Amino acid sequence: MSRAAARSVYATLDGWRRQMVEQGHDLLDAALRRAERIRTAAAGMPGLRPMGQEVVDAGLAAAYDPLKIVIDVRELGVSGMQATEWVRDHCHVDLGGSDTCRITASVTHADDDHTEEVLLGALRALTEGAGSIERRPPVHLPEPSVLELEQAMLPRAAFFAEAEHVPVERAAGRICAETISPYPPGVPVIAPGEVITDEVLDYLRSGAEHGVLVPDAADSSLRTLRVVRTMS
């Protein structure tokens, strides 16, 4: 980075810091009130269930960020991924991350009444148009404890071990030799060295049928899995 570019970056950071010192309380307070208005309005729309502090109280999350609007859309009969795609195609609005159950949107101090109404308009349109979205097979979400797999080998040893590809129907009980990370959320469900179970296979296969991406698998269709070759 050149000195001129570095000075520009530091000047930008210093300008942001000054704005937060002088106006930060009012800006963030307004953003928090706007986020709460959006959340309340979304709660009044059929099929939308905004999530709040209750997920922390139930032990399902470590913390709650009120500037993140997280909405469960399963009552609409679609996944969060389908809802996000529909809103982008029909309303030209890009939402944040989504998964099989939820959509998200972020509110910042840069938002105003116009962007608030654009988001609420897109959510209203989604509730009205969800019936036209093609239904896909549901994803069989396992209990969190099911994802805690047995580690039979060190990850490095399993990854570099002699391996073979087996049909997914015959993969249960085998030691995985690759990382399997369905996206969203993009978090590994199976890591090298872990023992594959029927429950996890059911989750992965139903996710693939629904349209979840698995970018790091050798066979992204999940028809086969890479496992450590057994010694005969």
Side-chain angles (χ1 to χ4, degrees):
M1 181 184 295
S2 68
R3 291 183 179 180
R7 284 196 295 269
S8 177
V9 170
Y10 290 136
T12 300
L13 291 174
D14 197 46
W16 170 82
R17 183 195 61 79
R18 179 174 179 173
Q19 182 186 38
M20 287 297 102
V21 169
E22 295 180 347
Q23 307 170 28
H25 184 277
D26 291 339
L27 290 172
L28 291 176
D29 184 61
L32 289 168
R33 285 187 277 109
R34 189 179 303 282
E36 188 56 33
R37 282 200 306 272
I38 294 172
R39 190 174 285 106
T40 300
M45 299 180 191
L48 301 185
R49 187 166 62 85
M51 304 174 69
Q53 180 63 34
E54 73 278 357
V55 298
V56 179
D57 297 338
L60 301 175
Y64 166 59
D65 181 353
L67 293 179
K68 298 291 185 183
I69 311 296
V70 182
I71 302 175
D72 192 316
V73 298
R74 283 177 289 181
E75 291 181 13
L76 294 177
V78 300
S79 69
M81 296 173 292
Q82 289 178 291
T84 296
E85 293 171 1
W86 190 93
V87 167
R88 181 185 299 117
D89 291 342
H90 292 80
C91 304
H92 308 294
V93 172
D94 284 320
L95 297 172
S98 61
D99 61 15
T100 56
C101 307
R102 293 161 286 266
I103 59 176
T104 65
S106 297
V107 176
T108 75
H109 64 273
D111 282 298
D112 55 21
D113 292 344
H114 173 67
T115 58
E116 177 181 340
E117 184 49 42
V118 167
L119 174 58
L120 291 176
L123 294 178
R124 282 191 290 268
L126 173 64
T127 63
E128 296 167 359
S132 66
I133 300 176
E134 178 187 359
R135 275 18 184 194
R136 295 177 183 171
V139 179
H140 302 159
L141 295 173
E143 292 295 324
S145 60
V146 172
L147 300 176
E148 298 176 5
L149 301 179
E150 175 191 354
Q151 188 78 42
M153 293 178 66
L154 292 175
R156 177 182 174 83
F159 185 83
F160 288 107
E162 187 174 353
E164 61 182 336
H165 289 266
V166 299
V168 67
E169 297 84 0
R170 304 208 320 262
R174 301 292 298 271
I175 299 173
C176 194
E178 61 180 337
T179 301
I180 307 294
S181 307
Y183 180 85
V187 178
V189 169
I190 312 177
E194 293 183 332
V195 179
I196 302 168
T197 65
D198 285 318
E199 294 86 353
V200 166
L201 288 176
D202 184 45
Y203 166 46
L204 292 173
R205 294 176 68 185
S206 65
E209 292 172 0
H210 183 84
V212 172
L213 300 177
V214 189
D216 51 2
D219 179 1
S220 60
S221 70
L222 292 186
R223 294 187 179 89
T224 64
L225 289 180
R226 185 174 182 269
V227 300
V228 174
R229 184 182 296 277
T230 56
M231 303 298 294
S232 57

